[in-house]
Amino acid sequence: MTVSTVFLLACIGVLSLFCQWLAWRVRMPAILFLLAGGIAAGPMLGFLDPEAVFGDLLFPVISLAVAIILFEGSLTLRYDEIRGHGKMVRNLIPVGSIVTCFIGTLSARWLLDVSWEVALLFGAISIVTGPTVIAPLLRSVRPDAKLANILRWEGIIIDPVGALLAVLVFEGIVSWGQGNVFGHSMYIFGKTLAVGFLIGAVAGWLNGIALRKHLLPQYLHNAGTLTFMLGVYALSNEMAHESGLLTVTVMGIWMANMKQVPIDSILEFKESLSVLLISALFIILAARVEFEAIAQLGWGLVAVLALLILVARPVSIFLSALGTSLNWRDKLFLSWIAPRGIVAAAVSALFAFQLQKLGYESAGALVPLVFMLIIATVTLQSLTARPLARLLKVAEPAEYGFLILGANPVARMIGLALKKLEVPVTLADTNWENVKQARMDNLQVYFGNPVSEHASTHLDLTGIGNLLVISPYKHMNSLATYHFLDWFGKDAVLTLAEGDQDQKARHQTAEKIQLTRGLFEGVSYAKLASLASQGYTVKTTQLSDEFTFKDFLDKYDRQAMVLFVLDNRERIMPVKSMENIRPEKDWTLVSLVPPQARKERKERDTGEAPEPAPN
């Protein structure tokens, strides 16, 4: 049966969407399902033949897509973040890169009998992990905060660093292949580096200046930057063969480290771009994989994968951990976690094609080798990391902490009270003044939109299993509620009631958001803010035989509002209605109390001894 090109393109889009949805449902990296879907549609069923669909446009399209991936990844590489995340991360980037590249190169050369050039390129590609595969794994495994931060920042930093190394190795191979003698090859390589670094730096500076000085309207920031980057990529390739990937990587790094350049919206644009473009790209790449090429690698493939997973990674971790406070349990866990992702898959396909055109026959082994490395690491580590974390006792306990949307005075008072009870708390707000004050209160806070692409890799949710919406931003409240309903579940997403004006538009609010309403006696944010301005404060109170819940209510003339209760089994529970709670002795109340209780005034006036006061 012959089908039209339009039908095949539509099928690629539908399949990519299904793979993304399936990854969301089972909480695993999407790349695993995208590769599996492409292999099923291509070599297994013979339904999709990318060469027949795209013809001569196939690899120009792939090269542009890879350029976008490398550019977006390089936008996350900030030098101050490398310096600010501990000795282990600083050690792991250079040490891990060298060790993995060295072992990967030698194993591919000696066990698979590929050329030194292809082996070196495989070694460079194999160092890249990346946040797109690390973040979903961490959310599923929930290791302790120290290990989660090491893995998260390793993925964020090694993504552009590894891509840059792979590009440099590729440029060196191409330059060597074009030169007839050593001197000419070095000239071509030097020219490639000069063009890549010079044009990349100039383009990054020009684009950064345009964004900083608002020479482009806000709605053109994403599209304008993307279009300019693709133009720079094409220009660089015209000036020096295959220098474009280096150029766009340098351009992204330069923009990321410029001051006062608003690149957050560009990073958020990556989320939609990855769903629409990158998902389709990996289905196309996987559809080109041939089972015969995998079979030809034989047991050498298994040996190479085993050396990278069981030797290269542990050696990298134990060498990098010298002089740190990590114990043997931490090192063993880190030694097992290093899934490969998007950058490795993308650049391997493009580089293999280019090397085959230059006459490197063994370059055909690069794609199946890298794809099997991705599938093996993502599958094995996703399935075994959680049991391993429990066995090594490095897993976090149940996620009972709270992500509070809002860092306003009310949210900060609640956050401080929960922190006092040793409940994990993270605040998130887009208002810098609120964020600054929360940091002064020594609260963990995220500056930005908690549902953004940036938050997916930078917002630390270790120990967090609930969302508490205490924010005046109605649009963001709805977005965050939808987002975390899908992740935490409806019983763990709690929002305040709507104000009087919002009640008139209640019919516009989705039903599943309405299910989360009614926290804290059904008060609105405006009411809480008003009480806080009148001097109400959040306090913790320990109940006992001498000071019961009734005594607590009488003390504040029943004007206190109980927000949370901590029972004698250390369970923290938000209160929707005080009529439904029956606190017992040894329970702790977190309450919003008036500035001065009536009984305190009476005691002050009569000189009677005060009753037990809240903590």
Side-chain angles (χ1 to χ4, degrees):
M1 175 182 176
T2 303
V3 295
S4 66
T5 300
V6 173
F7 180 77
L8 288 174
L9 292 175
C11 287
I12 292 174
V14 172
L15 181 57
S16 65
L17 178 62
F18 174 75
C19 292
Q20 290 281 355
W21 174 84
L22 186 60
W24 165 75
R25 290 297 301 174
V26 301
R27 311 289 171 84
M28 291 183 68
I31 188 173
L32 182 64
F33 299 97
L34 293 169
L35 294 180
I39 291 173
M44 289 184 64
L45 301 178
F47 176 74
L48 177 61
D49 181 2
E51 277 83 357
V53 174
F54 293 93
D56 293 337
L57 291 177
L58 176 60
F59 277 93
V61 169
I62 290 176
S63 64
L64 291 176
V66 172
I68 293 173
I69 292 171
L70 295 182
F71 174 69
E72 297 286 355
S74 63
L75 283 173
T76 65
L77 183 59
R78 295 183 173 92
Y79 298 134
D80 56 342
E81 291 180 347
I82 298 177
R83 293 191 296 266
H85 287 281
K87 184 176 181 180
M88 181 62 188
V89 176
R90 293 196 304 270
N91 291 348
L92 192 54
I93 301 306
V95 174
S97 299
I98 293 171
V99 170
T100 303
C101 183
F102 180 75
I103 294 179
T105 299
L106 294 184
S107 61
R109 170 59 182 162
W110 291 337
L111 297 175
L112 297 177
D113 197 29
V114 298
S115 66
W116 277 111
E117 293 85 356
V118 173
L120 182 59
L121 186 56
F122 169 73
I125 292 173
S126 64
I127 74 172
V128 183
T129 55
T132 54
V133 285
I134 286 291
L137 190 146
L138 291 180
R139 286 196 292 264
S140 174
V141 176
R142 301 202 316 267
D144 65 45
K146 175 178 59 178
L147 300 181
N149 284 331
I150 290 173
L151 290 170
R152 180 181 297 109
W153 282 104
E154 180 199 9
I156 291 171
I157 297 171
I158 199 65
D159 194 38
V161 170
L164 179 60
L165 177 60
V167 169
L168 288 174
V169 171
F170 173 71
E171 305 291 3
I173 295 172
V174 171
S175 301
W176 184 263
Q178 290 180 329
N180 296 322
V181 294
F182 177 78
H184 185 54
S185 296
M186 291 304 297
Y187 164 76
I188 294 175
F189 182 53
K191 177 183 176 183
T192 301
L193 293 183
V195 170
F197 279 103
L198 179 61
I199 294 183
V202 172
W205 179 79
L206 288 175
N207 201 84
I209 291 296
L211 296 178
R212 180 195 295 168
K213 295 183 177 297
H214 306 288
L215 300 180
L216 287 175
Q218 179 67 35
Y219 73 93
L220 285 181
H221 278 195
N222 293 335
T225 299
L226 180 64
T227 304
F228 181 60
M229 181 273 296
L230 292 177
V232 169
Y233 168 76
L235 175 64
S236 180
N237 274 344
E238 290 297 318
M239 296 181 65
H241 185 60
E242 299 299 341
S243 64
L245 295 179
L246 176 61
T247 299
V248 297
T249 303
V250 173
M251 176 182 172
I253 295 174
W254 191 281
M255 289 178 58
N257 290 277
M258 288 183 69
K259 303 296 184 182
Q260 300 178 340
V261 175
I263 63 173
D264 288 343
S265 61
I266 300 173
L267 290 171
E268 290 183 23
F269 180 60
K270 180 184 176 183
E271 184 173 6
S272 299
L273 192 66
S274 63
V275 173
L276 296 174
L277 174 65
I278 298 175
S279 299
L281 171 66
F282 287 115
I283 288 176
I284 294 169
L285 294 178
R288 299 185 67 254
V289 175
E290 299 177 357
F291 287 134
E292 182 180 352
I294 298 176
Q296 287 177 351
L297 298 177
W299 287 105
L301 170 63
V302 178
V304 170
L305 299 183
L307 285 171
L308 285 172
I309 297 172
L310 301 177
V311 178
R313 179 63 175 180
V315 171
S316 300
I317 292 297
F318 277 81
L319 288 178
S320 301
L322 293 175
T324 68
S325 61
L326 295 179
N327 59 41
W328 67 270
R329 298 177 186 272
D330 299 332
K331 296 173 188 176
L332 283 182
F333 180 76
L334 293 174
S335 296
W336 181 241
I337 306 299
R340 273 62 171 187
I342 286 176
V343 171
V347 299
S348 66
L350 179 61
F351 291 170
F353 174 75
Q354 301 290 6
L355 292 181
Q356 283 177 315
K357 289 200 305 182
L358 294 175
Y360 293 94
E361 297 181 1
S362 58
L366 187 61
V367 172
L369 183 56
V370 172
F371 278 28
M372 291 306 298
L373 176 63
I374 294 171
I375 293 172
T377 54
V378 172
T379 304
L380 285 175
Q381 293 165 17
S382 296
L383 295 177
T384 60
R386 182 61 179 167
L388 180 64
R390 290 173 176 169
L391 178 65
L392 295 174
K393 298 180 181 179
V394 296
E396 283 284 335
E399 294 180 326
Y400 62 93
F402 288 85
L403 170 64
I404 301 179
L405 180 59
N408 49 73
V410 178
R412 294 199 300 270
M413 286 194 296
I414 293 175
L416 287 170
L418 293 175
K419 182 181 178 182
K420 183 178 180 180
L421 297 175
E422 298 184 351
V423 175
V425 177
T426 297
L427 281 62
D429 205 314
T430 56
N431 185 303
W432 173 245
E433 291 302 320
N434 287 341
V435 170
K436 183 169 63 173
Q437 187 60 52
R439 289 177 177 172
M440 292 176 64
D441 292 339
N442 202 26
L443 288 167
Q444 181 169 310
V445 61
Y446 172 77
F447 177 45
N449 185 345
V451 303
S452 65
E453 173 72 7
H454 183 269
S456 67
T457 54
H458 291 73
L459 175 57
D460 183 9
L461 293 179
T462 304
I464 304 295
N466 304 275
L467 174 70
L468 190 61
V469 179
I470 309 178
S471 162
Y473 313 126
K474 298 180 180 63
H475 179 63
M476 185 181 295
N477 293 349
S478 297
L479 290 177
T481 301
Y482 271 120
H483 180 79
F484 289 102
L485 273 172
D486 291 334
W487 187 252
F488 293 148
K490 65 181 181 66
D491 294 331
V493 176
L494 306 161
T495 65
L496 301 173
E498 299 168 330
D500 294 337
Q501 294 181 350
D502 297 323
Q503 294 283 354
K504 299 177 183 179
R506 179 180 290 273
H507 64 281
Q508 298 178 355
T509 306
E511 180 181 353
K512 74 174 185 176
I513 290 186
Q514 292 289 349
L515 295 175
T516 69
R517 304 282 190 197
L519 186 64
F520 307 153
E521 295 292 323
V523 300
S524 64
Y525 171 77
K527 178 64 175 178
L528 284 179
S530 175
L531 293 176
S533 67
Q534 296 172 34
Y536 276 65
T537 56
V538 176
K539 293 186 176 181
T540 59
T541 304
Q542 178 78 45
L543 300 182
S544 64
D545 290 330
E546 292 76 24
F547 192 73
T548 65
F549 184 50
K550 182 178 182 304
D551 296 329
F552 168 80
L553 295 176
D554 291 340
K555 181 179 181 64
Y556 293 103
D557 198 20
R558 297 186 178 272
Q559 294 181 30
M561 182 188 304
V562 180
L563 308 178
F564 299 86
V565 293
L566 181 70
D567 65 15
N568 48 22
R569 289 189 289 178
E570 301 296 322
R571 295 181 305 176
I572 186 78
M573 294 171 286
V575 175
K576 289 194 173 184
S577 173
M578 289 174 56
E579 296 179 357
N580 298 329
I581 62 172
R582 300 291 184 269
E584 303 174 2
K585 68 174 182 177
D586 297 329
W587 284 32
T588 300
L589 309 179
V590 178
S591 314
L592 186 67
V593 301
Q596 190 176 41
R598 187 179 68 174
K599 296 193 73 175
E600 287 177 345
R601 293 195 301 269
K602 177 181 176 182
E603 291 157 1
R604 181 192 62 191
D605 296 338
T606 62
E608 297 178 1
E611 299 195 33
N615 295 326

